[in-house]
Amino acid sequence: MESVQSVERMRVVVTGGSGLVGKAIEHVVKEEGGAKEGEEWIFLSSKDADLMDFRATQALFQRLQPTHVIHLAAMVGGLFRNMRLNLDFWRCNIYINDNVLQAAHHVGVQKVVSCLSTCIFPDNTTYPITEKMIHNGPPHDSNFGYSYAKRMIDVNNRAYFQQFGHRYTAVIPTNVFGPHDNFSIEDGHVLPGLIHKTYLAKEEGSPLTVWGSGNPRRQFIYSLDLARLFLWVLREYDEVEPIILSVGEEDEVSIKDAAEAVTEALDFRGDIVYDTSKADGQFKKTASNAKLCSYLPDVTFTPFKTAVKETCDWFVSNYDFARK
Ligand SMILES: NC(=O)c1ccc[n+]([C@@H]2O[C@H](COP(=O)([O-])OP(=O)(O)OC[C@H]3O[C@@H](n4cnc5c(N)ncnc54)[C@H](OP(=O)(O)O)[C@@H]3O)[C@@H](O)[C@H]2O)c1
């Protein structure tokens, strides 16, 4: 008899497929040839269903019958939005995450990869942060609603494994940025906010005002680098315990460094002013990528300045359509 090599069929549903990370995964899958034979990819937005509603979530999953899920959908925002809306961040994310995991369980999804964040770790901690430390103490006060809701994904994953043997897991990225980000100055994350502010300051010929002292330190990961790692986690990473997806500790930069990378990329030559009346947030949350490197010793990342330049170029070219 002729031997027929079987191709594993995978129907991958990506919740939050219209956001920063979802668009990067879509790019890698569709433009970089990231999809493998036998894989079908479906990218969802909130227009497909409000995932805060369990019935709608369940109906969507029953219709789509995914075998695999990348779960990105979330209420997401920067420091100042978190400080204003801790209750909304808690409720929205706790419902979305519980609904998605329960609906995935109901339709027999083999694997779910959800998304945590390094900003959910204990505020009072030793560095570098590792995957083992998620539940070791209270998060920073500024974003406790988001943090506790995200931590419960890990509780869910462990419990689904214990009761049903499901290999549902999560990744833990550091600060993500790239094309399709939310460039809102009030509500977005620090880097896209800086890009938007610098763009406006250049247009108006005014100084660039950076909120806070510029001293806090962050590890930034380019959304396209993160997207490629997501595909690896989906296909190869077999643990229930989450994995930090980050550049190395030595690649951490200050907000001042980030502002300078943005001004260089946008060729802004005016003054930079630091408004210290505005909150700094957590001083640092340095994460270890040792676990990632133990799996992928040759992992590489786009140089920070190159990624910032590409993001700035995207923002300028798409100014009229960008979220801001
Ligand atoms: N951005 C970062 O720096 C960062 C860092 C670490 C972890 N993460 C995590 O990465 C994941 C993706 O973040 P992102 O930055 O890509 O976020 P984003 O750009 O704000 O996108 C959020 C996505 O979630 C969808 N969504 C929100 N509420 C929904 C609801 N009730 N029902 C259905 N869909 C809903 C949005 O759909 P619409 O477009 O239709 O609104 C959008 O596709 C999140 O889980 C986030 O916590 C982000």
Side-chain angles (χ1 to χ4, degrees), residues 16-22 44-47 49-52 72-74 76 96 115-117 146 150 173-176 189 323:
S18 53
L20 162 66
V21 181
L44 303 177
S45 76
S46 62
K47 293 193 187 80
D50 176 3
L51 300 175
M52 281 186 74
L72 305 172
V76 178
I96 288 179
C115 203
L116 311 181
S117 166
Y146 176 81
K150 284 282 183 185
T174 45
N175 288 51
V176 190
H189 287 110
R323 272 187 294 167

Side-chain angles (χ1 to χ4, degrees), residues 32-322:
E32 293 184 6
K36 288 195 173 159
E37 200 188 338
E39 289 178 3
E40 182 189 354
W41 287 78
I42 300 168
F43 293 87
L44 303 177
S45 76
S46 62
K47 293 193 187 80
D48 293 288
D50 176 3
L51 300 175
M52 281 186 74
D53 176 336
F54 182 64
R55 280 174 193 229
T57 309
Q58 196 176 32
L60 181 69
F61 274 60
Q62 268 162 0
R63 180 165 64 79
L64 298 176
Q65 293 291 324
T67 59
H68 294 69
V69 172
I70 292 182
H71 170 41
L72 305 172
M75 180 174 175
V76 178
L79 171 66
F80 297 93
R81 189 171 188 223
N82 270 279
M83 283 165 53
R84 280 201 319 274
L85 301 172
N86 267 298
L87 178 65
D88 292 357
F89 273 94
W90 159 257
R91 295 194 68 240
C92 186
N93 288 315
I94 204 84
Y95 278 119
I96 288 179
N97 297 333
D98 194 56
N99 290 344
V100 166
L101 291 170
Q102 182 69 359
H105 165 64
H106 279 175
V107 301
V109 170
Q110 294 165 33
K111 185 161 180 181
V112 181
V113 181
S114 300
C115 203
L116 311 181
S117 166
T118 48
C119 66
I120 69 162
F121 278 78
D123 183 32
N124 195 351
T125 183
T126 54
Y127 296 101
I129 288 165
T130 73
E131 291 82 357
K132 302 273 180 216
M133 296 179 178
I134 298 178
H135 304 286
N136 282 2
H140 194 261
D141 238 11
S142 57
N143 66 347
F144 68 90
Y146 176 81
S147 300
Y148 279 119
K150 284 282 183 185
R151 288 180 186 191
M152 292 310 116
I153 289 181
D154 180 58
V155 173
N156 255 314
N157 287 345
R158 283 192 278 151
Y160 275 112
F161 180 67
Q162 190 191 64
Q163 269 183 249
F164 299 106
H166 292 335
R167 295 216 168 251
Y168 296 171
T169 191
V171 301
I172 313 176
T174 45
N175 288 51
V176 190
F177 71 100
H180 302 280
D181 207 340
N182 178 2
F183 292 86
S184 161
I185 292 170
E186 292 290 330
D187 290 340
H189 287 110
V190 58
L191 199 75
L194 277 173
I195 292 173
H196 191 181
K197 274 198 241 181
T198 307
Y199 176 91
L200 294 178
K202 188 177 169 187
E203 290 268 298
E204 291 157 6
S206 55
L208 165 65
T209 303
V210 178
W211 289 349
S213 66
N215 295 327
R217 302 183 65 78
R218 296 288 180 265
Q219 283 155 302
F220 291 99
I221 183 165
Y222 191 33
S223 58
L224 292 163
D225 292 338
L226 176 62
R228 293 176 200 116
L229 289 172
F230 251 107
L231 298 199
W232 167 76
V233 170
L234 184 73
R235 296 177 186 136
E236 313 280 347
Y237 180 74
D238 210 25
E239 295 185 36
V240 172
E241 184 185 88
I243 182 165
I244 291 173
L245 301 181
S246 172
V247 299
E249 291 156 58
E250 66 286 359
D251 294 319
E252 190 172 52
V253 298
S254 67
I255 300 302
K256 190 163 181 273
D257 297 330
E260 284 169 6
V262 170
T263 53
E264 192 182 314
L266 287 172
D267 194 25
F268 170 83
R269 303 192 182 179
D271 291 335
I272 305 179
V273 179
Y274 291 89
D275 178 357
T276 51
S277 71
K278 291 279 203 292
D280 265 345
Q282 252 173 303
F283 178 67
K284 64 175 187 173
K285 33 195 173 180
T286 320
S288 163
N289 67 358
K291 185 176 186 179
L292 174 65
C293 293
S294 73
Y295 277 101
L296 297 175
D298 299 325
V299 65
T300 55
F301 296 91
T302 308
F304 181 59
K305 283 191 175 181
T306 309
V308 168
K309 177 80 176 110
E310 286 179 18
T311 307
C312 288
D313 288 350
W314 184 90
F315 181 65
V316 172
S317 309
N318 294 277
Y319 187 77
D320 292 340
F321 310 99

